[in-house]
Amino acid sequence: MEWTMTGGVPGAVALMQGNEAIVRGAVEAGINFAASYPGSPSSQVLGMLGKIARERGFYAEWSANEVCAFQACTGASLAGGRALCVVKQNGLLCVADALHCAAQAGVKGGLVIVSSDDPSAHSSTNEFDSRWQAMSAGIPLLEPTTMQETKDMIPYAFELSERTGQVVLVRVTTRVCHGRGNVVLGSLPEKPRAPERVGEWDRMVCVAYMHGPALQKLEALRACFETSPCNHYQGPERPEKLIIAGGTGRLYGQEALRRLGREEDTGFLSLGTLWPLPETYILERLRTAKEVLILEEVDPFLERAVQALAGREGLGVKFLGRDNALPPVGELDPEVVSAAVCRLTGGALPEKKAAGGTELPVREMSFCAGCPHRATFYLLKRVMRQEKHPGVVVGDIGCYFMAGQSAGQYAWQACNCMGSGVNVAEGLGQLTNYGLDQKVVTMCGDSTFFHTILPGLVNAVYHNANMLLIVLDNSATAMTGFQPHPGTGLTAMGDRVKPMDIPKILEAVGCQVEVADPFDVEEAEKTLRRLLDRKGMNVLIMRQPCATLMAKERSKKPVRVWVDQDVCLGDGCGCDKYCSRVWGCPGNTWDFKKNKALIDPVTCVGCGVCAKLCPSGAIKVERGEEA
């Protein structure tokens, strides 16, 4: 990784993942500053930048949230530094207020945002299209397709940002972030340029009169994009059938044309500059077209813009796209694009070879073996069921999002966006004084606590809401790859710092706080019951390190978990196969021939919680060398 990021002879070819290409592009651009909050599919970008930051002479940080990251980048830009902010689509929405202000105020040093969208929500709670934010804020939008373009667009974006004094958004998607391809390396600067002193009359202030100049910048960018090297056309000079594609839609479209043998008679316009639209460049091909297919992820962003352009010019063009030829949701794939291209060209799909008759089993998402969250939600559900009126649980975003599924006992009833749980619960908690006869519980992770929980927490304490906040402290930003946060005592650049103490922060704002270990089942359950019965704003910190983080440590202390077949009652215990179905740990399984519980020695991490909860006491744990 270090060679492709910081070395290599210019002109050499390296196989890179898209996220690596972003890093290489940033290093070639000579960035001074990089900031991010982890979010898949682009979590690896800041992680790699942090490892090489000192070597290359720039600063990198995992910020407490995306707003902190972007505003810090704005500060670096004020001193003439080149700053890179990396977010995912949800994080870009968090940044919206700051982004719109910065777009009108302008920038000095280049300021580039890389927003990674996740079509089909592979590692997200929803699929958003971040391109609308560029249109709304009035900033230029670039979208690469290949790994080479991804690397090359980052320096191009910084040059564009400084030339126009504007923030630039580079939008990538999951397939670009995680795909791989050959990249020709460019040259690296000896060192980033030195920051400039901020002068007395330097101004980056968003005021009303800056709106007009911001719109003028947009028109200047439109003229610049007319000759941008990021746009390409191939096909007949005056096409009647035309495909316009952005991002990965370009690759699917080109593959479909090859499969169908329609490359010669179908025009193919690839756009890397999606906003503002290079209108003259597009109209050159659009004026002769009778039918146009638009290929893009996720929303009909490009489709709407090109339709508006055609309507303004009075062109009688029939459009195919997300509205009528492609699925309205989810990411594109070769089959759906091929079908749409056939509809455009009048061709027929090649016959598909018959697939095997065996269907793959459906696998629901689950917590990792030994995950402390599983124990927390099992106990929470058990306690809640014993209430006179079962309580209401509000979820949040993180690994524990799976608490709304069987993996977490279907524990929560509602979940909105990251950091919203404490606010939703506060509203419910206030209604317990006006007739709502339910206990109110919400949750967050330790990383989310620092990300967006604090303002809502202060609000809930200030208004004395009747509720319980459970902080699931597993000592990591586990869902996105174990990045550090303010509570871990580690920075992106590897510095050891004093970790922020969550209980002390909670006590400082006036919360009643207790700490429990979810693996100490009996005591954790008692604490949970006590706090549910206590009025006011209460907090329970469930503290147990992530099972994946602890795997190496446990391997040094051998643990054997097994089922005593003479004790196991099988179906006779009346627990509906508690071990594999109710508890749901991947380390627990079932012998359907013998109707007995089993432990998978490969998957089991030896936490031993299943032994504490087993109704028959058949699950045994042995610790020490003999295990």
Side-chain angles (χ1 to χ4, degrees), residues 504-517:
K504 287 183 179 178
I505 293 172
L506 289 164
E507 290 167 359
V509 297
C511 293
Q512 303 177 82
V513 187
E514 294 197 35
V515 180
D517 179 355

Side-chain angles (χ1 to χ4, degrees), residues 420-468:
S420 68
V422 67
N423 301 295
V424 175
E426 194 263 338
L428 289 164
Q430 296 297 354
L431 293 183
T432 60
N433 296 315
Y434 296 88
L436 180 64
D437 192 11
Q438 284 181 290
K439 303 289 176 63
V440 179
V441 179
T442 188
M443 66 195 74
C444 72
D446 45 334
S447 183
T448 303
F449 177 83
F450 293 106
H451 181 276
T452 28
I453 288 296
L454 286 170
L457 176 70
V458 170
N459 187 60
V461 174
Y462 177 58
H463 293 102
N464 195 31
N466 289 320
M467 56 181 282
L468 171 63

Side-chain angles (χ1 to χ4, degrees), residues 41 70 77 188 284 294 389 438 455 464 498 506 559 581 616:
F70 180 74
S77 172
L188 298 175
E284 184 181 356
I294 311 283
H389 300 292
Q438 284 181 290
N464 195 31
K498 184 177 180 180
L506 289 164
V559 179
R581 291 187 183 177
S616 65

Side-chain angles (χ1 to χ4, degrees), residues 3-60:
W3 180 83
T4 56
M5 298 303 102
T6 63
V9 178
V13 178
L15 179 65
M16 286 189 183
Q17 189 190 60
N19 285 333
E20 290 179 302
I22 294 170
V23 174
R24 176 71 190 200
V27 176
E28 289 184 9
I31 60 169
N32 300 87
F33 192 99
S36 178
Y37 179 83
S40 297
S42 58
S43 299
Q44 298 91 343
V45 174
L46 200 283
M48 288 185 277
L49 286 170
K51 291 180 179 179
I52 61 174
R54 281 200 172 83
E55 177 188 345
R56 296 301 310 172
F58 64 86
Y59 174 80

Side-chain angles (χ1 to χ4, degrees), residues 253-546:
Q254 289 172 336
E255 179 183 332
L257 287 178
R258 284 195 300 270
R259 288 175 66 192
L260 299 168
R262 303 302 295 262
E263 293 174 281
E264 298 300 322
D265 60 359
T266 307
F268 200 100
L269 185 60
S270 306
L271 294 179
T273 64
L274 273 69
W275 190 260
L277 279 183
E279 295 181 351
T280 303
Y281 184 78
I282 295 171
L283 284 170
E284 184 181 356
R285 310 299 174 185
L286 194 61
R287 289 191 189 281
T288 64
K290 295 180 180 178
E291 285 188 278
V292 177
L293 170 65
I294 311 283
L295 301 175
E296 58 187 322
E297 309 271 23
V298 169
D299 293 338
F301 173 88
L302 185 57
E303 185 177 346
R304 294 284 186 269
V306 177
Q307 282 176 334
L309 177 61
R312 192 189 74 195
E313 296 295 317
L315 304 179
V317 180
K318 179 182 178 181
F319 283 93
L320 303 174
R322 286 286 188 176
D323 287 335
N324 51 16
L326 296 164
V329 297
E331 67 178 340
L332 300 176
D333 63 44
E335 295 308 314
V336 299
V337 171
S338 292
V341 172
C342 282
R343 184 168 171 179
L344 173 73
T345 62
L349 278 172
E351 286 189 22
K352 292 174 64 176
K353 294 180 180 179
T358 305
E359 290 188 10
L360 293 174
V362 177
R363 297 178 61 189
E364 192 179 73
M365 290 189 294
S366 180
F367 294 116
C368 301
C371 177
H373 299 340
R374 181 181 286 104
T376 295
F377 292 120
Y378 181 84
L379 292 175
L380 177 62
K381 193 72 172 185
R382 186 158 79 177
V383 169
M384 288 297 218
R385 280 174 176 155
Q386 293 172 7
E387 291 286 322
K388 180 181 178 182
H389 300 292
V392 55
V393 181
V394 183
D396 214 295
I397 306 301
C399 294
Y400 41 90
F401 181 78
M402 287 183 284
Q405 303 169 7
S406 62
Q409 309 293 318
Y410 303 103
W412 54 253
Q413 285 80 33
C415 183
N416 193 14
C417 64
M418 190 169 182
S420 68
V422 67
N423 301 295
V424 175
E426 194 263 338
L428 289 164
Q430 296 297 354
L431 293 183
T432 60
N433 296 315
Y434 296 88
L436 180 64
D437 192 11
Q438 284 181 290
K439 303 289 176 63
V440 179
V441 179
T442 188
M443 66 195 74
C444 72
D446 45 334
S447 183
T448 303
F449 177 83
F450 293 106
H451 181 276
T452 28
I453 288 296
L454 286 170
L457 176 70
V458 170
N459 187 60
V461 174
Y462 177 58
H463 293 102
N464 195 31
N466 289 320
M467 56 181 282
L468 171 63
L469 167 64
I470 300 177
V471 180
L472 304 159
D473 186 355
N474 63 358
S475 304
T477 314
M479 189 176 189
T480 53
F482 311 107
Q483 295 83 7
H485 60 68
T488 63
L490 187 67
T491 71
M493 295 171 65
D495 294 331
R496 288 285 174 186
V497 296
K498 184 177 180 180
M500 293 191 179
D501 191 294
I502 294 178
K504 287 183 179 178
I505 293 172
L506 289 164
E507 290 167 359
V509 297
C511 293
Q512 303 177 82
V513 187
E514 294 197 35
V515 180
D517 179 355
F519 285 178
D520 187 351
V521 174
E522 188 174 336
E523 285 303 313
E525 186 171 351
K526 288 179 182 177
T527 304
L528 187 55
R529 290 182 187 280
R530 183 172 63 255
L531 294 184
L532 278 172
D533 290 333
R534 196 160 71 188
K535 287 283 187 180
M537 177 69 213
N538 297 284
V539 181
L540 172 59
I541 300 175
M542 285 291 203
R543 180 170 287 166
Q544 177 65 228
C546 172

